[in-house]
Amino acid sequence: MSTSKSTFSLTEDWTVVVFGFLIIALALFGIKIPSPTFAWENSSELLEKVVSTSNLWNVTKLFLWVYAIAILATKTLGKDVIATAKGFPIVFILTTLALILAGNSFLKNWNLEAVIFSLSIGLMISNFSNIPDWLRESLSTELFVKIGLVLLGTSIIFGDILKAGSLGLIQALLVVVSVWYFAFWVSKKMGIDEEMAIIISSAVSICGVSAAIATAGAIKGDSKKLSYVISIVLITAIPMIIFMPIIAKALGLSEAVTGAWLGGTIDTTGAVIASGSLIGEEALKISTIVKFSQNVLLGLAAFGISIYWTYTNNQSEVVKESKPSLGIIWERFPKFVIGFVAASLLFSFVISGDIISEVKGGLKSLQGLWFALAFTSIGLETKFADLFSSEGKKPLYAFLIAQGFNVVVTLGIAYFLFK
């Protein structure tokens, strides 16, 4: 049974901006965000580090942090607080299990990120057991994703453009623009709907998982389509980590060219670092710089995609007869993107480097936790048939074709700029 609406409520987008900045403000004012460790290599480290009394207490404190925010946000939205109070602890426990699995050093080396374990755990439970209605009703996927996206803005530092240098930025711009449009064109030619085409294009061209999540949020995309794309991103990154360095050595590419190639094609930062490390220090440095340059463009891309989607996908009768006004665009514009960009600007130009160094670790871990909570929720409300069969194989083929184009074009750009 749902409670009645509270006398005061906000839209979901404004709610995530408010609570995202509340988390940021608390961190800036010295409230320490609990940071439990989930890293372990063997069973003894698992027992001594991860499930030790002190670390479990940190996990409990982190739970209380996010539990309070989830309940307050639910109240602000005018939704059923009782459902959230009952369901959130279960989602958190499942997500913690995913974080522990992702913390294993062997799995980390294969770039198997927490979100894939969160999604897998949720999918296994939803497909092999019956999820009670009260738990299903308590899931707040959009809320969790968008709070994580506002916090993601704190790590998209415009100052990284300076670190990247002109060559890294030029490559990032050329790659993102050319690959995005090619991926979108291929997807549309294959009959893929525009929503899925945009998510695929952003994931291939910008920075993988984060770009897919940000884009899906900007266009209010279907969470099942987002899960599909992220699964493809994480799976295809694994062979790229292994084989691209081998191909680079076979082609006799310099470390600089190889690093630029890896940074511009592999879709997740962790995978870029893993692959660059196989070549050498210079390759690792340049690959990281190029990937940072593409990450910086995420905010601009999300903002532009939001405007495009808002302008072209309002289906009211008035809009069908005439172009949407600025007022309609503002009404439909996803406000959380403003929070994302504002957080990025705040940490780029206002907050000092010393303070950023103190708070960035806690904020990043909290951002990752919100994403993992969201994907546990997505898994719990999704059937395998919905995740893969409904879209068929076309999105997979479109992604692979676009990634092949990305590999070839980026190699040419990297060779021209870094040889």
Side-chain angles (χ1 to χ4, degrees):
M1 183 178 74
S2 296
T3 59
S4 60
K5 288 258 182 182
S6 59
T7 55
F8 170 79
S9 64
L10 291 176
T11 63
E12 186 171 75
D13 277 355
W14 281 124
T15 297
V16 300
V17 171
V18 168
F19 284 93
F21 270 85
L22 174 62
I23 293 170
I24 293 169
L26 291 172
L28 293 176
F29 282 110
I31 306 298
K32 187 172 177 58
I33 299 172
S35 297
T37 181
F38 297 105
W40 58 285
E41 186 170 355
N42 49 50
S43 57
S44 61
E45 283 194 0
L46 177 63
L47 293 173
E48 293 171 8
K49 293 182 178 181
V50 180
V51 296
S52 66
T53 302
S54 60
N55 198 56
L56 289 177
W57 174 235
N58 282 331
V59 172
T60 302
K61 289 189 289 184
L62 183 61
F63 164 73
L64 294 174
W65 247 80
V66 292
Y67 192 36
I69 291 167
I71 289 176
L72 289 172
T74 302
K75 179 69 174 175
T76 303
L77 287 168
K79 293 185 176 179
D80 190 348
V81 174
I82 301 301
T84 298
K86 290 167 60 179
F88 186 86
I90 295 173
V91 176
F92 183 88
I93 290 169
L94 295 175
T95 302
T96 301
L97 175 59
L99 292 170
I100 292 173
L101 289 172
N104 178 259
S105 59
F106 174 79
L107 297 175
K108 267 190 173 181
N109 289 338
W110 285 92
N111 196 47
L112 295 176
E113 300 184 23
V115 291
I116 198 66
F117 290 105
S118 297
L119 179 62
S120 299
I121 289 171
L123 284 170
M124 284 190 289
I125 293 173
S126 66
N127 283 271
F128 296 105
S129 65
N130 293 320
I131 304 296
D133 291 339
W134 62 266
L135 177 57
R136 198 177 296 276
E137 291 171 5
S138 74
L139 302 175
S140 300
T141 301
E142 291 294 317
L143 179 71
F144 300 159
V145 164
K146 290 175 181 177
I147 290 178
L149 283 168
V150 173
L151 297 182
L152 176 64
T154 65
S155 64
I156 306 297
I157 309 300
F158 284 90
D160 286 338
I161 294 176
L162 300 178
K163 295 179 186 177
S166 58
L167 294 181
L169 181 57
I170 290 169
Q171 176 175 316
L173 286 169
L174 291 173
V175 168
V176 168
V177 172
S178 60
V179 174
W180 197 98
Y181 278 102
F182 179 82
F184 187 74
W185 176 79
V186 167
S187 298
K188 296 295 288 182
K189 282 289 185 182
M190 296 180 70
I192 296 170
D193 66 88
E194 190 170 43
E195 183 182 311
M196 176 67 98
I198 289 176
I199 297 173
I200 289 173
S201 302
S202 297
V204 173
S205 64
I206 307 175
C207 53
V209 173
S210 296
I213 293 172
T215 300
I219 64 174
K220 303 183 186 299
D222 186 338
S223 62
K224 296 180 181 65
K225 294 177 182 178
L226 174 60
S227 299
Y228 187 106
V229 173
I230 285 180
S231 299
I232 297 171
V233 167
L234 295 175
I235 291 168
T236 55
I238 295 171
M240 292 178 74
I241 295 171
I242 300 169
F243 292 111
M244 287 187 68
I246 295 173
I247 294 170
K249 288 179 180 178
L251 293 175
L253 302 179
S254 67
E255 282 201 22
V257 172
T258 302
W261 187 36
L262 297 175
T265 51
I266 299 179
D267 287 321
T268 65
T269 303
V272 167
I273 292 170
S275 192
S277 299
L278 297 176
I279 300 295
E281 287 188 15
E282 186 179 7
L284 175 60
K285 176 184 175 182
I286 293 178
S287 65
T288 305
I289 284 173
V290 170
K291 180 52 65 178
F292 275 165
S293 299
Q294 290 186 202
N295 289 347
V296 167
L297 297 176
L298 175 58
L300 299 175
F303 191 80
I305 289 168
S306 298
I307 293 176
Y308 166 78
W309 190 259
T310 302
Y311 194 79
T312 60
N313 285 271
N314 187 308
Q315 299 300 312
S316 69
E317 291 301 320
V318 173
V319 173
K320 287 178 181 177
E321 295 174 4
S322 62
K323 291 183 179 180
S325 66
L326 290 176
I328 292 174
I329 291 176
W330 170 249
E331 180 183 340
R332 290 177 56 83
F333 187 81
K335 310 302 188 299
F336 84 90
V337 174
I338 297 172
F340 172 88
V341 174
S344 181
L345 293 173
L346 178 68
F347 274 67
S348 295
F349 303 113
V350 179
I351 308 300
S352 71
D354 290 340
I355 295 177
I356 290 175
S357 297
E358 291 176 10
V359 303
K360 68 178 181 181
L363 289 174
K364 185 168 181 59
S365 65
L366 205 52
Q367 162 216 311
L369 174 60
W370 284 112
F371 284 159
L373 288 166
F375 279 89
T376 301
S377 301
I378 290 172
L380 288 172
E381 59 189 8
T382 303
K383 298 291 185 182
F384 283 119
D386 295 334
L387 185 58
F388 294 104
S389 298
S390 63
E391 291 296 333
K393 296 179 180 179
K394 286 183 180 179
L396 172 61
Y397 296 153
F399 183 94
L400 293 177
I401 292 169
Q403 189 65 283
F405 177 82
N406 186 14
V407 167
V408 173
V409 167
T410 304
L411 175 58
I413 294 172
Y415 187 81
F416 178 76
L417 293 174
F418 290 89
K419 66 178 178 179

